[in-house]
mmCIF file of all heavy atoms in Angstrom:
data_model
loop_
_atom_site.group_PDB
_atom_site.id
_atom_site.type_symbol
_atom_site.label_atom_id
_atom_site.label_comp_id
_atom_site.label_asym_id
_atom_site.label_seq_id
_atom_site.Cartn_x
_atom_site.Cartn_y
_atom_site.Cartn_z
ATOM 1 N N LEU R 251 -70.331 77.367 35.984
ATOM 2 C CA LEU R 251 -69.974 78.611 35.268
ATOM 3 C C LEU R 251 -71.196 79.203 34.570
ATOM 4 O O LEU R 251 -71.431 80.412 34.587
ATOM 5 C CB LEU R 251 -68.954 78.303 34.160
ATOM 6 C CG LEU R 251 -67.531 77.949 34.533
ATOM 7 C CD1 LEU R 251 -66.724 77.694 33.287
ATOM 8 C CD2 LEU R 251 -66.938 79.125 35.312
ATOM 9 N N ILE R 253 -74.473 78.733 35.149
ATOM 10 C CA ILE R 253 -75.536 79.231 36.044
ATOM 11 C C ILE R 253 -75.146 80.596 36.624
ATOM 12 O O ILE R 253 -75.958 81.520 36.679
ATOM 13 C CB ILE R 253 -75.833 78.202 37.164
ATOM 14 C CG1 ILE R 253 -76.471 76.943 36.546
ATOM 15 C CG2 ILE R 253 -76.743 78.793 38.243
ATOM 16 C CD1 ILE R 253 -76.501 75.727 37.449
ATOM 17 N N LEU R 287 -85.596 82.074 39.811
ATOM 18 C CA LEU R 287 -86.841 82.805 39.529
ATOM 19 C C LEU R 287 -87.689 82.948 40.794
ATOM 20 O O LEU R 287 -88.259 84.013 41.040
ATOM 21 C CB LEU R 287 -87.637 82.109 38.409
ATOM 22 C CG LEU R 287 -86.971 82.145 37.022
ATOM 23 C CD1 LEU R 287 -87.818 81.408 35.999
ATOM 24 C CD2 LEU R 287 -86.720 83.587 36.558
ATOM 25 N N GLN R 366 -77.726 65.086 26.939
ATOM 26 C CA GLN R 366 -77.765 65.900 28.160
ATOM 27 C C GLN R 366 -78.900 66.921 28.214
ATOM 28 O O GLN R 366 -79.346 67.276 29.294
ATOM 29 C CB GLN R 366 -76.426 66.643 28.318
ATOM 30 C CG GLN R 366 -75.279 65.699 28.631
ATOM 31 C CD GLN R 366 -73.970 66.460 28.681
ATOM 32 O OE1 GLN R 366 -73.221 66.504 27.710
ATOM 33 N NE2 GLN R 366 -73.693 67.074 29.805
#
Side-chain angles (χ1 to χ4, degrees):
L251 288 180
I253 292 165
L287 293 179
Q366 291 176 263

